Amino acid sequence: MTFLDGWLILDGHDRAVAALAEGAQPVCMVLCRVPDEPDWRRTADELTEAHEQRMSRPAEYPTRQRATLERGFGEALSALPYDARTGSCPLTGGLATWDDLAADVMLQFPRD
């Protein structure tokens, strides 16, 4: 979320906290817009195809090297450009509507 200057966890808060408590990095998925979908998709598909071809030959890559290749593939995909801006729009009804919606949600999830 660009206006927060950080990430927002939509689901899996408990799993993230547990992973951090155990000294592990939480597994996450990032949802974002890409600037030019067809070009982005073509590049991602090319990277994926090359990676799958490499990984289809297990005899050529020992376990440790395979793990390095997997990590490199993930880093290559995550380095593709994306649109970092997150949009927002005004809520019809303003603050009063927001307060009503928030009150309804708090009744559903009182511990949050």
Side-chain angles (χ1 to χ4, degrees):
M1 301 291 296
T2 52
F3 75 94
L4 296 174
D5 192 27
W7 301 100
L8 176 67
I9 298 177
L10 298 177
D11 187 25
H13 300 82
D14 293 336
R15 285 186 295 268
V17 170
L20 292 171
E22 293 177 359
Q25 182 175 351
V27 176
C28 298
M29 177 186 301
V30 177
L31 305 175
C32 62
R33 283 185 240 145
V34 294
D36 186 359
E37 176 70 22
D39 288 343
W40 190 96
R41 176 59 46 205
R42 185 173 45 258
T43 303
D45 287 346
E46 288 170 0
L47 286 170
T48 301
E49 183 179 340
H51 176 69
E52 288 173 348
Q53 286 177 1
R54 268 190 233 92
M55 300 309 278
S56 70
R57 301 184 305 269
E60 293 181 28
Y61 303 102
T63 304
R64 189 176 207 161
Q65 193 174 10
R66 290 175 65 82
T68 301
L69 288 170
E70 291 284 1
R71 199 168 30 259
F73 172 65
E75 290 172 3
L77 278 182
S78 68
L80 291 177
Y82 64 94
D83 187 355
R85 295 165 295 160
T86 50
S88 62
C89 57
L91 180 64
T92 304
L95 184 57
T97 301
W98 174 259
D99 288 340
D100 290 343
L101 290 170
D104 289 344
V105 171
M106 290 308 294
L107 292 175
Q108 293 174 4
F109 307 101
R111 293 186 307 171
D112 285 347

